Structure formats: C-alpha cells, structure tokens
Amino acid sequence: MTTSTMYALAAAAVLILTAGGGVGLAVLFRLTNQLVVGDGRLPRVVLERVVVPTEPMALLRWRREQDEERMAVARRVAAYRSGATVLVVLAALTVFEYVMNLVGISVFGLFVIALVKAAIIVHYFMHVATVFAAGDGH
Amino acid sequence: MHGEYRVALRNNRLGLWLFFLSESFLFMGILVSRFYLWGNTRPELNQLNGLLVTTVLLLSSFTMNRAETALVQNDRKTFLNCLLLTVALGTLFLAGVVVFEWGGHIRPSDGAYGAVLFGMTGMHALHVVSGIVFILIVWNNGRRGLYSSEQHWGVEACAIWWHYVDLVWVFFYPALYLMGQAVH
Amino acid sequence: MRTFFKLGFVRGLLGQVLGTLFGMGLVTGTRAALGYDPLWAAEPAWVIGGLLGTLGFMIGVGALTDWAKWAIGVETPMHHGAPAGQPEWTRYFAVDLSHKVIGVQYTVWGIMVLLVGGFLATLFRVELLQPGMQYFTTDRYNTLISAHGIIMISAILLGVGGMINYLVPLMIGASDMAFPRLNAFGFWINVPASLLLITAMFVGGWDTGWTAYPPNSLRTALGGPLFFLGFYTIGISSIVGGLNLLVTVFTMRPPSMNLFRMPIFVWAAVGTSVLQLLATQLVGLAMLMLIVERSLHMGFFTPVLNEAAIALNSPPGDPVLFQHLFWFYSHPAVYVFVLPGLGIISELLPVFARKPLFGYKWIALSSIGIAFLGFLVWAHHMFTSGMSNYLRLPFMYATLIIAVPTGVKFFSWLGTLWGGKLTYPTPMLFVLGAISVFLLGGLTGPPAATITTDLYLHDSYWVVGHFHQTFFGGFMFPFFAAMYYWFPKVTGRKYNEALGKLHFWLMLPSFWVMSLGQIWAGLLGMRRRIADYDPALGVQNIQVWITIAAFVIALSILIGLYNFIVSARSAEVAESNPWRSRSPEWQIPSPIPEHSFAMPLAVVGEPYDYGLPGSVYVRMAPAGAGD
C-alpha cells in the first residue's frame, strides 16, 4: 500500500468513525426524544396568543421577562452545543495527528498536538476553572 | 447551596485535582518507560484498531459531558440515558483493548514491546474499569433522585474522572500507535 | 471479651487472614479449573493473597464502610467521641475520624514498627562483631538488612504522619483534616502493609536490600513479591496523606492566617506532602512492574529476549530503568523523612531561645526549595550504575546545590540561638543534638555527591554512616524532641525530666560513635550489605564499637518509651502551656478537648516574636469577631 492510499484510507476511516458515531448518537437521542441540543429547542413565541401589555411599565416588565426566557433557553442550548463542538474539534485533531504522522511529523510535534487536545479536555470537559473558584457550584 | 456543602465542594474539587496530579506522575512514569525502552521505534500494530478504540473513548467522553450538562439543566432523562451510553461505550472500548490489542500477535512476555504494550494498555484499562464502576454507582444514585442540578458533587467527580481517563489515552494513543518507526 | 471482638483492629486482622486465604484459594481454584498442574503455585497465591488480605483488613477494620454507604446513597454524619457503649480507649483500636486520635495511632504504630526494625538491626550487628559467620546464614543476614531498611522507612513515614496529622490542624486552627475518612484510611492501610513486610521475612525472605534492584529482585525468594506489595501499600498511605494535608493547609486556615504567618512546621509539612503526593507514584509503579515481571514475565527489566521477542525485533528490557523509577521517589523520600524534622527544629528553637525565629521567610521557602530540588537529583545514586555518562555532571551539580537551602536553615538556626536566653529541658537537648547530628550528615554528603569521590565511596560503609546521620539528625532526634515537647499537650501530664535527660545523654554520644565508626569503616574499605569481612581490613575493632553503640541507642530508646508510658499513666498533671509557646495548640487546654477550638482563631501578629513585649500571635475570638 502506498503512503497516499493509506493517507486517504485513514482520513476516511476517522471521518466515517466519528461521523458515524455522531449520527448514531443523534439517532439515539432522537429515539429518546432529544435533539442534539437536548430537549431545549428554541420555542417560537406565537405572538397572536400573547396579550402584549399596553401600560408602559407593564410592557417593560413583559419585555424583560421575554428576554430572560430567551436567554435561559439560549444558555441551555449553548451548554449542550459546546459539548458537541468539543467532540468535533477533538475528532478533527485526532484525524490531524494521524494524517500528520503519515506525512511525517516529529515525536515533539505529536506531543504538541496531544497537549492541545489535553488542554481542551481539561478546560471544557473537566472545568478546571472550578478548582480556583470559591466553591460556588455552577 | 448552604455553606457547609460549599466548603466541602471546594475541598473535594481541590483534592480530586491533586489526585489527578499524582496520577499524572504515574502515567508519566509509564510514558517515560516506553521511551526509555522503545526509543524511537514501536511494534507494528493495526492502525485501524487504534483509531477505532480512540474514537469510541472520545465519543464516551462526549456522552459523559452531556450527562453532566443534562443534570445541570435539570433534564433527568438525558442525564441517566447518557450515563448508560457512556458505560456502553466504555465497555466497547475495553472489549476493543482486549480483543484487538491483547489478542494480536504480541504477548506480554515478548521483550520490551510486549511488556510496555501490555503495561500501558493494562494500567489504562484498569482506570477505565474503575470509571465504569463509578458511573454505574452514580447512575444508580441518580435513578433514585439523589442529585439535584445544584448539588451533585458525585456526578461531577465521576464525570471529570472519566474525562481524566480519556485524557490519559490522548497521550497513550500516539505513544503506542504513532510515535517512532514501526518495526516489522 | 465482647469488647475485644468489637475492636476494629481485631476485626481487621481477622479480615486480613480471611482475605489472604480467600486470595490463595482463588488462585488455586482457578488453576484447578484450568487444569494446571501442580495446583499450588506459591508466588501468585501469595501475591493475590497479600492483595486481598490487605483489602480484607481494610474492610474488617471498617475503613471502607462509610464510602460503601455513600455508594448506595446512605448519608454518614460525622461521629465524635467513642462509639456508643464503648469505653474511651477503644477509639485508638478502631477507625476514628478525629485527627488527634489518628495522629496518636500513627505515632504509636510507628514506634512499634521502629522497635521491630531496631531489633533486626541489633541482630545483624551481633553477627558483624567478628569476621566469619557465627549466627546466621548469609541469606538470613541479607533478609535482616533488607527488612531493617524497609521497616525503618515505614516507621519513619508513620512517625512523620503522626506529627503532621496531630499538629498541623491544631497549628492552623482547623477543626480537623479536610478529609477525615481518607485520613483514617491512610493510617489503617499501614497496618496490613507492616504485616506484609514482616510476613515476607518468614516466607523465604529476600536478599535485595530495600532498593530491590533487578535482576536480583526478579530471582530472589518468595519474600520479594510480598515486600514489593508491602512497599506499594505504604506508598498508597503516603499519597492520600500528602493529598489530605495539602487540601487542609490550602483551604482550612482562618482567613487572617496568610501563608507567611503559618507556624513554620506547616511549611515543612507542605514540602513533605508535595513530595509524597507526586513522587510516590513512581516507586509504586516500579514495584508493580517488578511484580508483573515476576508473575507474568513482562520483560521491563530483563535484558534477555525470548524467541518471539526476537521475531518481533523487540528491544530488550533494561535494569537501569528500574533504578531511575526507584530513585525518582526514593531520593525525594529522604526529604519526606527529614523536612518535618527540620521543621520541628525551627519550631522549637525560638521557644527555648525566647527570641524571634531568624529569617522566617527564608526557612519557609527553603523547605519548598528543598522539595523542588529533591525532584532533580535522583540519579546521584546511580553514578556507578552504567547510566549515560553525560547525566552524571548535571546530577552532581543539582545535588550540591541542595546544600544551599539546607545551609539557609542551618544559619537561621544559628542566628536564632545567637544571643538567646537558652534553657535546656529535654526537647531543647534533642533539638541541639539533632542539629549536631544533621551537621555530620551534611558534611559527609558532598563527598558522596561528587562523582570522583563517589566512585570510591559508593556502596561502602561511608554511605551507611551518611544516611544514618541524616535520618537521625533529620528524623529521630527531632521526633523525640517533638515527643517530649508535645507530651504534656497530648496526655495532659508531665514526663520525667531526669529520665528524658538520661535518654538524650545515652543516645547522642552513642550515635556519634556509631555513625563516625561507620564512616571510618567505610574509608577503610568495609562494604555495605556484606555479612562477612576480611580481618585484614582492620575494621573489627570499629565493628565492635558500632555494635556496642547500637545497643546503647536501643537501650536509650527503651528508657524513653518507659518514661512516656509511665508518665502518661500516673505522672503529675501538666499546666496547659508549660513552654510559654505562642503557637495556637498551646492556647487551649491539655489534653485537647474533642472540638479543639471552642472559638475561631484570629491571627493578629507574627508567629515567632518571642521576647518582644506586648506582641500577640493568635487570639481566640467569639464567632464573627475574628475577622
């Protein structure tokens, strides 16, 4: 097998594995009634049904409530999405390290890639920052 | 969250991270042994198998993260399902190690290649097993509703322990499969 | 009798026996199921038996009970005091979560292990009285010196654990350690470990010394694997103990106690704990590799290849790798042993000189500096091992640099003594003795660290003399100083001053004779770990002196223990602060009540401003008024 064939095969393998795994998980979540963003689909506000207050102070309060609700949902979606993003980035880095090794990369280079992956895991998955916070939960 | 729990949480987090630091010295010692004995060579291993087990472990890290996120968002169903998914993926990873890496043509008694290959995968697999047991305990307690979205140190510890096991593999995978010249 | 069988200690021992038998049965049963012949294979049976026996002890003693309850979701509130319906003394024989009880448990078990190790030393010292073999076979002699080494090391680690566990939470005004259950676990795992080490002597022994170098350790008798397992188990205790202490110091100080206002012993404990937490993993790994190499033939350290390995083009194993892994822990371990002792010296000197500690910050940072440098010097044990030559010089320089932070401590002690109003009760005598002995160790070190001289001194009695000086100066003398100094605090009674002074005046001169004799014998060419010597070396007289001195040391320690035991039972009641110390633990009653500090601690001044009129270190404030 030539290097270029291996190169292509390997890239394909990782992509298929990660994508396949991802799709598999998505299907599973779907089956358990959850999208990739969890059960937190952005609710559409159906304006017809809502009685918008006309009194200025009440209107202001209504708008703030609406904003807070949207913000909460957005935060929730972002929390789920960040996990998925990290997964994609880590998978891409795994492909990258494999391909770079075929192309020819030093042991040092491979270590640097591993360190980058490690830093991402430590920061996003392991929440290292909480150790230095004054113990205030999430 | 009342004060006593906050103090305990702070101590627990620091303690667990110090333990990670300590464990890192163990795994660094294993990596150093690998470079000391193998130098710039490595045994011929099936690359596809390596990618397969790595991907499985990566996916399990994702489901674990998702379980923790779901609990924080008070989504109990996703939380419990994702824990079970993580157990399944972890078991799949173990099966991959046992079937592909230990079932190949290299035996533990085959010189430095056999010793270090089995030493690295064995020590890592031991940690995977401990992680799976931990997740099952947390799943059982979660099922009984012992964790809330605010107070769930058990889940958090379990999650970061699992990610730590993944983190070790981030270094072990290239050290086993990529670094150095494959020797035929 | 009912009480006896309710004691955690007794249940633990029972658990260990059952666990060991179960492990052996498991191995034999598996062999039977797989159709192996013969059914009985001693080594795997003992290894698995030893492992499950340790687990059995921990289950039996109850160190794992609370965690098992957590795993099934049962809350376990903290329990203070003796178990319901049991007398107070039973606390010391069972899992108790109070750091004061655990500190005493560590210390007492440490002294018992110390007595075993010292007894072994007197045995082989008798053998060395004359050339030729009189009392032991060479194998038995080798077992004795190997066991003396590792048993003494475990005794020192226990003593260090005792001082740290008892004193540090009191010194920083904390209610307890951060993880009380982990603390109890860390102590109790030492008991099965000690028993494993002692068992190892009776199932064939081992002849590798405490360093367990392969390839010898791969071929030695059955005691070998049990010794590796015992060593590994002690390591677990070090790791969890170090972790617990670091968390305690970082999170449980009162807000008003900043890092540079902690008692100086706490700094030493932090340095020790960092080393225990990080370096111990490496020796655990090395021991584990020896075990699997022996039982699964994984060739980490064997430079010989089998045919399958040759077909793979595999590189061979390398015994020097073991030495790197081993010394990466075992050199820092020396600082684990001595840093707390040096901390005790710095802690006690200002009290008995009635003067501020000279250069507080420098002493504090020198402990951390020694801990840090301790990671960078391990290969100075390996100048003759055949490791790469280019590694020698950097390790020599790094080693010599350690003299700088150690020297900082020395000059600070001299500065503290200078112009002080010195008094000489027993603890002060032991502190001064420690300084003199540690100085000997400091002077005999550099020749062994310098490559050119080490090539001749390596594996000679010079090295034996040197490390006994550092361990006695850095641990034994300060440990006894601490025992006498805090005795009134722990027991609430006075020790006998005359017996204490007798203990000191027997121990110090005889130690000088012993260790200088070892140095001298080493210069004449006496090699270490050798059961026999050539009369023509001219060392027999020296050996006689060393042996007599060793017996006098043993006698003096027995006198000290007699003093402690008798005084603890019936001596006069001591006042709460007989030394007029400023440290927090002396501001509360003796013996210390269950909840040490009735009111939160507030730091209002410098810790060591002795002799400065009107200065205050800590104040007990009603809740809320402290900060």
Side-chain angles (χ1 to χ4, degrees):
Chain A
M1 215 185 329
T2 62
T3 314
S4 55
T5 347
M6 271 181 78
Y7 173 102
L9 271 179
V14 179
L15 287 175
I16 291 167
L17 284 171
T18 318
V23 168
L25 285 174
V27 170
L28 261 169
F29 293 142
R30 182 66 134 173
L31 290 179
T32 53
N33 198 20
Q34 287 138 13
L35 275 176
V36 177
V37 289
D39 65 345
R41 261 181 286 184
L42 281 169
R44 288 199 194 82
V45 182
V46 188
L47 283 174
E48 297 88 60
R49 288 196 201 156
V50 179
V51 184
V52 182
T54 46
E55 194 262 323
M57 286 315 286
L59 181 63
L60 218 61
R61 199 177 325 118
W62 179 80
R63 279 191 178 155
R64 200 181 302 131
E65 278 164 10
Q66 288 287 309
D67 285 351
E68 273 167 11
E69 196 175 317
R70 278 161 183 264
M71 293 271 280
V73 174
R75 265 199 300 273
R76 186 168 182 162
V77 172
Y80 280 114
R81 202 166 268 160
S82 94
T85 313
V86 173
L87 170 72
V88 171
V89 171
L90 287 175
L93 279 171
T94 310
V95 175
F96 180 65
E97 96 185 311
Y98 188 85
V99 170
M100 285 310 285
N101 188 51
L102 285 183
V103 173
I105 186 174
S106 65
V107 169
F108 178 75
L110 285 170
F111 252 116
V112 171
I113 299 175
L115 279 174
V116 171
K117 286 169 79 176
I120 291 173
I121 293 178
V122 165
H123 182 75
Y124 288 103
F125 277 172
M126 298 171 80
H127 324 296
V128 69
T130 57
V131 185
F132 305 103
D136 45 70
H138 285 274
Chain B
M1 210 185 312
H2 63 83
E4 207 173 308
Y5 182 82
R6 255 207 347 234
V7 172
L9 184 67
R10 187 163 164 227
N11 286 351
N12 289 341
R13 278 184 181 149
L14 183 59
L16 188 58
W17 276 92
L18 284 178
F19 188 62
F20 288 151
L21 208 59
S22 173
E23 289 276 287
S24 303
F25 271 70
L26 167 70
F27 288 112
M28 269 195 258
I30 298 179
L31 272 182
V32 164
S33 306
R34 178 251 179 255
F35 285 102
Y36 193 95
L37 293 177
W38 288 8
N40 202 24
T41 72
R42 62 183 157 86
E44 181 87 57
L45 295 169
N46 187 326
Q47 291 291 334
L48 200 60
N49 295 344
L51 287 171
L52 184 66
V53 291
T54 305
T55 313
V56 168
L57 199 60
L58 180 57
L59 287 172
S60 81
S61 231
F62 166 67
T63 53
M64 187 75 235
N65 175 263
R66 199 182 169 82
E68 197 192 356
T69 312
L71 181 65
V72 175
Q73 304 298 336
N74 238 331
D75 177 0
R76 293 187 167 270
K77 213 167 144 198
T78 314
F79 162 60
L80 293 172
N81 288 338
C82 279
L83 283 182
L84 285 184
L85 263 176
T86 313
V87 170
L89 288 167
T91 317
L92 200 62
F93 172 84
L94 275 182
V97 167
V98 172
V99 174
F100 294 141
E101 283 170 343
W102 295 0
H105 58 299
I106 303 177
R107 308 302 316 145
S109 51
D110 294 350
Y113 278 163
V116 172
L117 174 68
F118 278 77
M120 286 173 76
T121 51
M123 185 52 93
H124 183 257
L126 210 62
H127 282 75
V128 173
V129 171
S130 75
I132 290 177
V133 173
F134 198 170
I135 298 173
L136 285 174
I137 289 172
V138 166
W139 174 78
N140 184 40
N141 287 342
R143 204 168 48 95
R144 296 160 57 204
L146 295 184
Y147 305 113
S148 70
S149 59
E150 280 89 29
Q151 298 200 4
H152 55 265
W153 163 246
V155 180
E156 185 185 331
C158 172
I160 59 179
W161 176 249
W162 188 258
H163 293 311
Y164 181 75
V165 174
D166 185 34
L167 181 84
V168 171
W169 192 252
V170 162
F171 290 93
F172 275 22
Y173 165 66
L176 282 170
Y177 284 90
L178 302 181
M179 291 174 176
Q181 285 295 314
V183 171
H184 303 283
Chain C
M1 210 57 198
R2 290 271 309 268
T3 316
F4 180 73
F5 282 109
K6 270 193 179 156
L7 292 181
F9 183 64
V10 177
R11 293 184 171 191
L13 291 179
L14 215 62
Q16 186 165 15
V17 172
L18 291 178
T20 309
L21 292 177
F22 178 71
M24 289 177 162
L26 199 66
V27 171
T28 315
T30 313
R31 287 179 74 87
L34 296 176
Y36 283 122
D37 187 55
L39 283 184
W40 171 253
E43 176 148 345
W46 272 105
V47 170
I48 301 294
L51 207 62
L52 293 186
T54 308
L55 187 65
F57 185 96
M58 298 311 280
I59 294 172
V61 79
L64 306 177
T65 314
D66 279 6
W67 292 331
K69 284 184 182 165
W70 293 2
I72 55 169
V74 179
E75 298 261 344
T76 56
M78 279 287 284
H79 176 80
H80 297 282
Q86 301 281 326
E88 181 73 12
W89 61 269
T90 56
R91 295 181 76 179
Y92 293 89
F93 292 86
V95 170
D96 194 283
L97 302 184
S98 158
H99 76 97
K100 292 184 286 282
V101 173
I102 294 173
V104 173
Q105 286 172 331
Y106 260 113
T107 310
V108 171
W109 188 253
I111 289 174
M112 286 168 68
V113 174
L114 187 83
L115 289 179
V116 174
F119 174 68
L120 300 178
T122 57
L123 290 183
F124 64 73
R125 277 320 315 174
V126 172
E127 173 63 56
L128 286 167
L129 275 172
Q130 315 164 39
M133 300 302 292
Q134 288 85 36
Y135 307 102
F136 301 113
T137 61
T138 44
D139 274 348
R140 185 50 59 184
Y141 178 90
N142 287 340
T143 299
L144 286 175
I145 55 135
S146 311
H148 170 69
I150 187 66
I151 287 178
M152 280 307 198
I153 281 164
S154 97
I156 294 176
L157 285 172
L158 283 160
V160 166
M163 294 193 286
I164 287 179
N165 271 297
Y166 196 92
L167 297 176
V168 168
L170 294 174
M171 285 179 164
I172 62 172
S175 55
D176 205 317
M177 296 288 271
F179 306 113
R181 292 170 187 85
L182 195 65
N183 202 16
F185 175 89
F187 164 70
W188 282 105
I189 194 136
N190 278 294
V191 178
S194 311
L195 297 178
L196 272 177
L197 292 178
I198 290 168
T199 316
M201 293 174 62
F202 294 99
V203 293
W206 72 101
D207 56 3
T208 62
W210 80 280
T211 52
Y213 278 7
N216 190 16
S217 56
L218 298 174
R219 290 170 198 155
T220 190
L222 191 53
L226 287 187
F227 151 59
F228 310 149
L229 207 59
F231 202 162
Y232 185 82
T233 318
I234 293 170
I236 295 174
S237 162
S238 283
I239 293 169
V240 300
L243 187 155
N244 205 345
L245 182 104
L246 288 175
V247 177
T248 308
V249 173
F250 287 140
T251 65
M252 299 186 66
R253 277 174 290 129
S256 50
M257 184 185 278
N258 68 30
L259 286 177
F260 286 105
R261 281 184 169 181
M262 298 192 299
I264 202 78
F265 178 73
V266 179
W267 276 97
V270 166
T272 282
S273 301
V274 169
L275 293 172
Q276 284 186 309
L277 177 73
L278 303 181
T280 314
Q281 291 281 5
L282 275 290
V283 82
L285 176 65
M287 293 297 139
L288 213 54
M289 283 157 104
L290 282 180
I291 293 176
V292 294
E293 173 145 13
R294 281 179 68 113
S295 45
L296 304 175
H297 307 290
M298 291 164 72
F300 292 109
F301 307 129
T302 312
V304 183
L305 293 172
N306 63 12
E307 273 173 30
I310 294 169
L312 282 175
N313 270 327
S314 167
D318 190 343
V320 177
L321 170 65
F322 176 87
Q323 298 187 24
H324 282 295
L325 295 176
F326 179 84
W327 288 114
F328 190 84
Y329 165 74
S330 296
H331 190 79
V334 176
Y335 303 119
V336 171
F337 306 156
V338 304
L339 277 178
L342 305 186
I344 294 282
I345 299 177
S346 306
E347 186 73 42
L348 265 53
L349 271 184
V351 178
F352 292 110
R354 308 311 302 169
K355 251 190 77 192
L357 180 64
F358 187 85
Y360 172 94
K361 274 194 184 176
W362 288 94
I363 297 201
L365 293 176
S366 75
S367 290
I368 304 304
I370 291 176
F372 175 72
L373 284 173
F375 279 114
L376 306 176
V377 301
W378 76 88
H380 68 216
H381 293 267
M382 300 164 59
F383 287 151
T384 62
S385 70
M387 68 172 182
S388 308
N389 277 345
Y390 70 89
L391 287 174
R392 284 177 172 179
L393 270 183
F395 278 107
M396 175 178 99
Y397 286 125
T399 307
L400 293 174
I401 285 174
I402 289 215
V404 176
T406 324
V408 165
K409 284 191 191 293
F410 253 97
F411 286 113
S412 136
W413 295 335
L414 292 183
T416 308
L417 286 172
W418 189 266
K421 297 192 196 73
L422 302 183
T423 49
Y424 300 97
T426 311
M428 178 61 161
L429 290 178
F430 272 97
V431 164
L432 295 176
I435 294 177
S436 81
V437 169
F438 200 70
L439 180 64
L440 286 182
L443 294 178
T444 52
T450 309
I451 301 161
T452 38
T453 37
D454 180 66
L455 294 181
Y456 297 93
L457 297 173
H458 187 85
D459 254 357
S460 76
Y461 254 53
W462 174 285
V463 178
V464 177
H466 166 67
F467 70 70
H468 278 91
Q469 285 156 357
T470 50
F471 288 175
F472 267 75
F475 176 77
M476 290 294 282
F477 279 91
F479 175 70
F480 280 115
M483 286 286 287
Y484 283 106
Y485 181 77
W486 277 285
F487 186 84
K489 186 45 67 183
V490 179
T491 63
R493 291 176 192 277
K494 289 180 179 168
Y495 62 85
N496 184 321
E497 191 71 47
L499 278 178
K501 286 193 167 137
L502 179 67
H503 174 187
F504 174 75
W505 286 114
L506 285 176
M507 191 159 141
L508 183 72
S510 52
F511 179 78
W512 279 344
V513 169
M514 183 185 97
S515 74
L516 290 176
Q518 286 165 335
I519 293 281
W520 189 11
L523 285 178
L524 289 176
M526 177 77 197
R527 293 178 58 203
R528 67 189 283 209
R529 294 180 171 148
I530 298 293
D532 190 9
Y533 49 89
D534 189 341
L537 270 183
V539 296
Q540 201 202 335
N541 283 340
I542 306 172
Q543 294 286 11
V544 172
W545 278 106
I546 298 174
T547 304
I548 294 172
F551 272 88
V552 178
I553 294 174
L555 174 73
S556 73
I557 288 176
L558 289 179
I559 292 173
L561 295 185
Y562 171 80
N563 190 357
F564 295 139
I565 294 168
V566 171
S567 308
R569 290 166 68 98
S570 53
E572 200 183 329
V573 172
E575 53 202 298
S576 72
N577 190 1
W579 314 115
R580 293 184 294 137
S581 165
R582 298 157 57 91
S583 195
E585 77 273 20
W586 291 103
Q587 317 308 321
I588 50 182
S590 322
I592 301 171
E594 183 67 34
H595 297 276
S596 316
F597 295 95
M599 284 177 287
L601 200 67
V603 174
V604 292
E606 297 298 324
Y608 293 102
D609 281 350
Y610 287 94
L612 298 185
S615 75
V616 182
Y617 176 32
V618 288
R619 191 172 284 148
M620 308 288 163
D627 31 31

